[in-house]
Amino acid sequence: MQPSGIFHETYKEDMAIFQTPFLKFWMVAFFIFLAVFPWINKPFNIILNTNTLYLMNLIGIYIIGAHGLNILTGFTGQISLGHGAFMGVGAYASAILTIKAGIPFWIALPLAGLITALVGMVFGIPSLRLKGLYLAIATLAAQFIIGYAMRNWSALTGGSTGLVVSSPNFFGIELDTDRSYYYLVYTLVIATTLYTKNLTRTRPGRAFVAIRDRYLAAEVIGVNVWLYRILSFGISSFLVGIAGSLWAHYVLVVNDEAFGIWLSVQYLAMIIIGGMGSVLGAIYGAIFMTMLPILLRIPEHALTQIYPSVFTIFQSLTEGVFGLIIILFLIFEPDGLAARWHTIKNYWKLWPFSY
Amino acid sequence: MWFFLQLVIQGLAVGSVYALVALGFVLIYKASSVINFAQGELLMVGAYICLVLLTTFQVPFWAAFFLTMAFSVILALVIERLVLRPMIGEPAISIIMITIGLSLVLKSSIAAIWGTQIKVFPPIFPQTPIKLGEIMVSQVYIYTFLASMVFLLLFALFFKYSRMGIAMRATANSNQVALSMGISVKKVFAISWCVAAVVSAVGGILIGNINGVNSTLGSVGLKVFPAVILGGLDSIPGAVIGGLIIGILENLSGGYLDHFFGGGVKEVAPFVILVVILMIKPYGLFGTEEIERV
């Protein structure tokens, strides 16, 4: 909904991503904030009692992965329980390429994405015949098979000890601090966000949505359902592979334990809590899911000082709280934070009229 | 040859537990089209409750068994009413996610209450192994197999002859027709959750007896997916046969292929089988094919 006084006179204006001057102003302000954040993050560190730059980098990496899953599940309507493993494929691929093949990081990064896309498309082949529940179970199998390969193909993946990766070297600039990595991550976050936003406006993006809503009708009007289903698996895994590669070169140790079913569930939770099929939703979801453990730590800290034994209970309860939040969101806010944000915004735009 | 037989017998015992859990899964799916990812956690809750009754409260086994069943029924009713009832008619992904959320809640509450270490069941069945030809078979396996077969038979009779069983089959066939014939579909949903929780709890007690109990026991529930897909998602005999086949195949692949792949094949074999089934015959051996043509 547009505020009053905004009239689009050309088709181009109507299709613009940032439509009002107000919005443009705030977007520029937001980008400036993002750009200077690494230099002003000290007070935030104190408030949250953690290294916010590290947190921001993690959020950025998860945003890229969440965009990936959102394209597959939110737009195309194909549930994937294997995106944790796909992220692992990206991480391992880029680790192996840089360590064992000696390829520089900036080539390994897109290559890792391509390899993950390939793996994702292979496991997407069942989607030619299956949908909904059956596909979810097929990707669950992918999760376990890839996890097994990561653990047991020791010659390639280093087995359970994992692989030690070096920081990326970007044409002579060593990206080995939180701050320098921040700029790499957020360049890619902005690029992938714009890509996803634009994808929804192009032919493939619309084909995805058509397949999600009524795949038979989509086929009738000439959408090649099989092609676009596989394509959606490919694009989605590409993005999550990029996220995996970024993660590997940030954390510097690649280990199979990080990429279990738990990560897949977290990714699904991100797009559900954020809002499925909404670009902003993936971002909100990634922020929410990364911040949640930090916020949970605050009552934990307070209570541990009084009752020391609380700590162990809280540790096991974290997962339960995640589960509870997923349940509550699905029952009370099924369209996620993005939809709630939209409602609030519209309320203020319309105020004092309710229509 | 004897090695092979030994693997088959162990596989049958574990597979019969998978069959029980798969039965619960299929029941819920048939009645309400809900895919229950928390099936393994229902099994774990059952195992823990029974274990605590046996060890902490020193209750005799049969009493502990029935108390566990009663607890499972109550838990299932609560879950069905609070979590699943509001989700009727929602898309598959929401239902999958809500049961995943449920499984996280159950798993972490158990870990918070009883910790994550392995706990051993006091022996329920006689422990001395029996000699069958050349192989030594632990009696636990035989009793597990027999016990699950008895339960499967009981449920088969329940579905065939009891009023409620017939109502459940009718609901599974068509919610609307059942409703118009005066069957309370809500009641059927609730009962199918109860039955699912009860069979899972039985499975949990049996499998806890073999391997001990810890907070990762719920992962047994994941083996249910290969089993039900093989048997057909909406077929009760399929669940039983699928469970047995997956149990045997899993054990055989573990026995014969571990040398080549460096261990742990048992964990992944069911999922490889799952992918193969999905590629060749996605509706399984006895499942209803959904045919859609343009």
Side-chain angles (χ1 to χ4, degrees):
Chain A
M1 190 186 59
Q2 294 299 329
S4 60
I6 301 284
F7 304 107
H8 297 311
E9 286 166 354
T10 62
Y11 187 62
K12 207 177 159 199
E13 269 176 24
D14 202 32
M15 290 302 290
I17 294 181
F18 306 121
Q19 295 192 341
T20 61
F22 183 74
L23 199 60
K24 277 177 196 150
F25 169 78
W26 280 110
M27 281 322 285
V28 170
F30 179 66
F31 281 128
I32 291 172
F33 173 76
L34 269 188
V36 300
F37 180 79
W39 308 92
I40 55 160
N41 68 330
K42 283 267 157 48
F44 297 99
N45 283 356
I46 296 163
I47 297 170
L48 286 172
N49 193 19
T50 181
N51 180 359
T52 44
L53 213 48
Y54 173 77
L55 199 64
M56 282 293 277
N57 285 343
L58 278 192
I59 289 176
I61 292 169
Y62 285 128
I63 287 175
I64 297 173
H67 279 322
L69 182 60
N70 204 13
I71 289 172
L72 185 69
T73 305
F75 295 157
T76 325
Q78 310 192 96
I79 309 158
S80 168
L81 281 162
H83 263 56
F86 292 154
M87 184 170 172
V89 171
Y92 271 106
S94 122
I96 291 164
L97 284 173
T98 49
I99 298 171
K100 303 208 167 157
I103 293 172
F105 168 76
W106 58 275
I107 300 179
L109 178 76
L111 273 183
L114 286 177
I115 292 171
T116 317
L118 209 66
V119 173
M121 279 154 92
V122 167
F123 281 102
I125 290 175
S127 72
L128 303 184
R129 291 184 68 184
L130 311 169
K131 32 182 211 308
L133 165 66
Y134 283 93
L135 188 62
I137 294 176
T139 51
L140 181 74
Q143 170 74 49
F144 284 102
I145 293 169
I146 294 173
Y148 180 80
M150 286 182 209
R151 239 180 349 269
N152 287 49
W153 195 351
S154 307
L156 201 61
T157 63
S160 53
T161 40
L163 293 169
V164 177
V165 188
S166 55
S167 288
N169 193 318
F170 218 70
F171 301 108
I173 309 161
E174 192 82 27
L175 300 179
D176 55 354
T177 58
D178 283 341
R179 191 175 287 168
S180 53
Y181 212 79
Y182 173 91
Y183 288 106
L184 171 67
V185 169
Y186 276 85
T187 313
L188 286 169
V189 167
I190 291 168
T192 49
T193 306
L194 281 178
Y195 174 76
T196 320
K197 183 77 197 165
N198 278 323
L199 184 70
T200 60
R201 296 138 43 98
T202 55
R203 188 183 169 87
R206 286 170 191 252
F208 291 164
V209 174
I211 291 171
R212 176 192 69 192
D213 289 345
R214 276 269 179 275
Y215 79 101
L216 279 182
E219 194 153 11
V220 169
I221 58 168
V223 173
N224 187 338
V225 174
W226 289 12
L227 177 76
Y228 282 111
R229 275 187 176 153
I230 286 286
L231 186 67
S232 151
F233 259 98
I235 295 175
S236 168
S237 319
F238 181 83
L239 289 183
V240 87
I242 295 277
S245 168
L246 282 175
W247 191 88
H249 289 270
Y250 187 50
V251 182
L252 301 180
V253 176
V254 183
N255 193 302
D256 68 283
E257 275 173 22
F259 307 111
I261 177 111
W262 173 227
L263 182 61
S264 299
V265 172
Q266 274 183 304
Y267 266 126
L268 275 173
M270 279 178 209
I271 62 166
I272 283 179
I273 288 171
M276 259 195 292
S278 142
V279 178
L280 272 181
I283 297 175
Y284 295 147
I287 295 172
F288 186 87
M289 290 299 282
T290 323
M291 292 294 283
L292 189 65
I294 308 288
L295 297 176
L296 282 179
R297 235 188 275 154
I298 295 169
E300 183 191 313
H301 266 290
L303 283 172
T304 314
Q305 261 134 41
I306 313 168
Y307 311 103
S309 63
V310 160
F311 179 70
T312 46
I313 295 177
F314 253 96
Q315 269 209 314
S316 42
L317 277 184
T318 315
E319 266 189 31
V321 172
F322 271 117
L324 198 61
I325 287 173
I326 296 171
I327 294 176
L328 293 177
F329 258 94
L330 282 168
I331 294 177
F332 296 110
E333 196 64 74
D335 295 328
L337 292 170
R340 172 56 48 191
W341 171 238
H342 206 74
T343 320
I344 293 172
K345 216 165 60 180
N346 280 352
Y347 175 83
W348 288 108
K349 273 184 191 157
L350 290 166
W351 194 84
F353 308 107
S354 60
Y355 45 87
Chain B
M1 184 62 203
W2 290 115
F3 182 56
F4 175 80
L5 273 183
Q6 175 134 21
L7 289 175
V8 168
I9 289 172
Q10 286 179 359
L12 268 178
V14 178
S16 59
V17 176
Y18 294 164
L20 273 175
V21 184
L23 175 70
F25 184 95
V26 169
L27 261 180
I28 292 180
Y29 181 75
K30 275 187 77 138
S32 51
S33 315
V34 165
I35 312 96
N36 182 16
F37 273 75
Q39 198 72 39
E41 275 66 27
L42 290 178
L43 173 147
M44 183 167 73
V45 170
Y48 265 95
I49 297 290
C50 185
L51 179 70
V52 168
L53 286 172
L54 283 173
T55 52
T56 315
F57 296 98
Q58 302 286 343
V59 180
F61 176 70
W62 285 109
F65 182 82
F66 285 111
L67 282 174
T68 309
M69 298 302 114
F71 181 86
S72 297
V73 166
I74 294 166
L75 179 71
L77 288 175
V78 170
I79 289 175
E80 202 277 332
R81 186 69 195 81
L82 290 184
V83 181
L84 271 307
R85 189 74 60 85
M87 300 303 288
I88 289 176
E90 295 281 327
I93 177 161
S94 307
I95 290 170
I96 289 177
M97 272 315 279
I98 208 158
T99 56
I100 289 178
L102 185 66
S103 77
L104 292 175
V105 171
L106 290 176
K107 193 167 37 172
S108 81
S109 343
I110 283 185
I113 300 172
W114 287 300
T116 49
Q117 311 90 326
I118 282 213
K119 290 189 186 344
V120 183
F121 256 78
I124 298 168
F125 304 118
Q127 292 293 300
T128 42
I130 315 181
K131 208 160 180 198
L132 289 175
E134 289 286 303
I135 46 170
M136 302 287 272
V137 180
S138 168
Q139 284 196 38
V140 175
Y141 286 109
I142 294 170
Y143 278 104
T144 303
F145 181 71
L146 292 179
S148 17
M149 284 303 127
V150 168
F151 275 99
L152 289 173
L153 191 70
L154 281 178
F155 282 110
L157 293 175
F158 168 74
F159 289 124
K160 190 124 183 104
Y161 297 111
S162 78
R163 273 184 84 79
M164 198 61 222
I166 293 166
M168 285 173 79
R169 281 192 294 152
T171 313
N173 225 326
S174 161
N175 282 351
Q176 272 151 21
V177 173
L179 206 56
S180 62
M181 296 303 284
I183 292 169
S184 164
V185 172
K186 278 184 181 170
K187 203 164 140 195
V188 169
F189 286 179
I191 297 224
S192 61
W193 269 85
C194 291
V195 176
V198 165
V199 287
S200 301
V202 173
I205 295 171
L206 291 174
I207 212 156
N209 231 313
I210 298 179
N211 293 333
V213 178
N214 77 349
S215 61
T216 58
L217 189 63
S219 61
V220 173
L222 296 172
K223 302 276 179 58
V224 161
F225 293 107
V228 290
I229 293 287
L230 175 59
L233 205 50
D234 51 0
S235 155
I236 290 174
V240 177
I241 292 166
L244 293 177
I245 294 178
I246 291 295
I248 294 171
L249 283 179
E250 174 193 74
N251 227 17
L252 284 178
S253 56
Y256 286 106
L257 298 178
D258 262 359
H259 312 294
F260 302 108
F261 293 98
V265 177
K266 224 174 151 172
E267 302 303 312
V268 76
F271 294 101
V272 177
I273 301 168
L274 173 60
V275 172
V276 173
I277 306 162
L278 284 176
M279 299 260 194
I280 300 170
K281 205 170 182 318
Y283 298 106
L285 298 171
F286 306 103
T288 325
E289 284 194 42
E290 293 167 31
I291 297 170
E292 282 155 337
R293 290 206 176 87
V294 180

